[in-house]
Amino acid sequence: MTSPAWEGREIPLGSETLTVIESNAEALVLEAVWPTRTSSPPPHLHPRQQERFDVLEGALEVEIDGTRSTVAAGEAFTVPPGSAHRMRNPGPGPARARWTVSPALRTEALFRELAAVGGAKASPLVATQVLLRYRDEFRLALPSPLEPVAVRALATVGRVLRLPH
């Protein structure tokens, strides 16, 4: 069942804008637009979710498990569960892709919360509090023993300082 409150609604997440096309238990389908020459987010992974990107316009520079490639309009790529990845728009114009996350889990709620705290402009102390709540959907791709410690430490500092989340 599609989530009517979010269907067709744009979600500004820092440098990219997301539009929810469909949202149900099986998949979250988005259209994402990256403006000209964006920077990459930190390498991250989704423990139990697969992502598929169908590039509709422009190109995306993609790094999956350390391998880089450029994917142009008309091409697609898949990020398997647990694979460290990141991407950016290296081009002179916007890049646009249809992005499918399956299963959806709580990814839509994660994007809502991140947008509410300022997206990419959010304080790392605030953003880590959000990310800690969504560890089944999103994790930083740090060496395994370091990631939970770093995220929990930053989230704790944010709570102690009573930063909004």
Side-chain angles (χ1 to χ4, degrees):
M1 179 170 176
T2 299
S3 171
W6 272 73
E7 185 174 15
R9 184 168 173 200
E10 288 190 352
I11 307 168
L13 270 183
S15 63
E16 66 199 71
T17 300
L18 308 177
T19 302
V20 176
I21 306 299
E22 182 180 346
S23 182
N24 57 53
E26 290 79 37
L28 173 62
V29 181
L30 307 154
E31 184 169 299
V33 177
W34 292 263
T36 303
R37 293 188 175 88
T38 58
S39 58
S40 295
H44 62 279
L45 59 90
H46 310 283
R48 300 183 305 146
Q49 296 167 292
Q50 173 176 286
E51 293 179 298
R52 178 181 166 92
F53 294 83
D54 293 280
V55 180
L56 305 171
E57 177 183 346
L60 291 173
E61 183 180 273
V62 180
E63 182 179 337
I64 301 173
D65 290 331
T67 301
R68 284 191 183 174
S69 60
T70 299
V71 182
E75 299 176 331
F77 63 95
T78 299
V79 181
S83 294
H85 63 285
R86 61 183 171 170
M87 68 202 69
R88 69 182 197 92
N89 173 8
R96 189 169 58 92
R98 178 162 266 204
W99 173 8
T100 303
V101 181
S102 56
L105 301 179
R106 299 178 307 150
T107 303
E108 182 178 349
L110 167 63
F111 291 153
R112 283 192 214 189
E113 279 202 50
L114 284 175
V117 298
K121 294 178 183 175
S123 154
L125 298 175
V126 172
T128 54
Q129 291 179 63
V130 174
L131 296 179
L132 191 57
R133 285 194 294 277
Y134 291 92
R135 288 192 39 77
D136 286 343
E137 291 77 19
F138 182 99
R139 295 184 190 178
L140 295 175
L142 298 171
S144 188
L146 181 60
E147 193 268 345
V149 172
V151 170
R152 287 182 196 284
L154 286 171
T156 300
V157 169
R159 279 193 303 276
V160 167
L161 294 176
R162 296 190 177 148
L163 296 173
H165 62 283

